[in-house]
Amino acid sequence: QQQVKQSPQSLIVQKGGISIINCAYENTAFDYFPWYQQFPGKGPALLIAIRPDVSEKKEGRFTISFNKSAKQFSLHIMDSQPGDSATYFCAASAQGGSEKLVFGKGTKLTVNP
Amino acid sequence: GAVVSQHPSRVICKSGTSVKIECRSLDFQATTMFWYRQFPKQSLMLMATSNEGSKATYEQGVEKDKFLINHASLTLSTLTVTSAHPEDSSFYICSADSSRTPIGEQFFGPGTRLTVL
């Protein structure tokens, strides 16, 4: 049972464009939703995270939008750069993040120059 | 920031041998550490959760006798792959839960690439 569904599987964007990655979850106990960025051969790095008490969080070019009623959240990368080319994973956990993370399957983002 | 290291970064071993991977939280104490494995072009799959001083909790389908986890201190957890076989070849990643931050976010290590010949 996949608890966090992520789409698209791959995404190609031109430099300067907006990259949008979507995730949907099933478990209503989830209350912590982080996004991770992973480069080949490296461990994932936390990009940005949100809790369900807010509908949007922005950090620089990265924004999370959260829709609690729809049980969906998305990552927006504004002004996408070639250096943003990586695999992005959404995740979710319960009890404020102290419980184990459940990961989406990942989205491979390619930003063309 | 919270830094997690892993050692070694890469290891190649012969089939039937055992391999130990270390995970350390360098600048914080981690009450909980997590071990994941990741196959090429796939997501991270949680293998086990370990708490300092207690037995690890393994996910369904993960052989506890094959993947031995020891969490001896608040800054060190080890994963030993016993009697490794080629199908154990994978990217193993640990993470540590920082109690410093109110949200208890996980910080990931750089991963260990295991190749079993």
Side-chain angles (χ1 to χ4, degrees):
Chain A
Q1 179 185 4
Q2 186 185 354
Q3 296 190 54
V4 179
K5 295 183 179 180
Q6 183 172 347
S7 62
Q9 188 174 10
S10 63
L11 180 62
I12 300 175
V13 174
Q14 291 299 117
K15 178 182 176 181
I18 302 173
S19 304
I20 302 174
I21 304 171
N22 301 298
C23 283
Y25 63 98
E26 300 167 3
N27 188 347
T28 55
F30 287 151
D31 59 1
Y32 174 64
F33 304 91
W35 284 90
Y36 288 88
Q37 178 190 57
Q38 185 180 31
F39 293 103
K42 305 294 183 182
L46 179 65
L47 202 57
I48 187 172
I50 198 168
R51 295 187 169 280
D53 53 342
V54 295
S55 60
E56 186 175 283
K57 183 175 181 180
K58 183 176 181 179
E59 290 183 1
R61 295 185 295 111
F62 302 95
T63 300
I64 297 180
S65 297
F66 183 79
N67 186 328
K68 188 174 181 178
S69 60
K71 291 187 285 185
Q72 296 175 345
F73 59 109
S74 60
L75 175 69
H76 295 235
I77 305 175
M78 311 300 287
D79 188 26
S80 299
Q81 299 297 311
D84 296 330
S85 297
T87 299
Y88 293 81
F89 294 95
C90 63
S93 69
Q95 293 190 25
S98 60
E99 292 291 311
K100 58 186 180 182
L101 285 168
V102 178
F103 282 86
K105 290 191 173 183
T107 297
K108 183 177 181 181
L109 171 66
T110 302
V111 182
N112 289 326
Chain B
V3 180
V4 175
S5 70
Q6 281 184 241
H7 178 80
S9 58
R10 286 177 176 271
V11 57
I12 301 173
C13 69
K14 293 182 178 180
S15 185
T17 61
S18 294
V19 174
K20 180 184 284 189
I21 302 170
E22 291 186 351
C23 175
R24 293 181 184 271
S25 56
L26 298 185
D27 54 356
F28 65 99
Q29 293 184 331
T31 53
T32 306
M33 285 186 170
F34 304 84
W35 286 96
Y36 298 82
R37 65 188 296 182
Q38 185 179 33
F39 291 108
K41 298 184 179 181
Q42 293 191 21
S43 188
L44 287 80
M45 296 301 296
L46 180 66
M47 299 175 66
T49 302
S50 75
N51 291 289
E52 185 263 340
S54 61
K55 289 184 178 180
T57 301
Y58 290 81
E59 294 298 299
Q60 190 174 9
V62 178
E63 299 176 57
K64 60 180 67 177
D65 293 332
K66 181 170 184 62
F67 299 99
L68 301 178
I69 293 173
N70 182 277
H71 194 158
S73 76
L74 287 172
T75 60
L76 173 65
S77 176
T78 60
L79 168 68
T80 301
V81 183
T82 62
S83 186
H85 291 283
E87 58 265 30
D88 298 323
S89 297
S90 188
F91 193 49
Y92 292 86
I93 310 170
C94 71
S95 71
D97 183 318
S98 170
S99 58
R100 294 189 311 184
T101 57
I103 59 175
E105 66 185 70
Q106 291 184 29
F107 297 91
F108 284 81
T112 296
R113 174 75 59 192
L114 170 63
T115 302
V116 185
L117 303 176

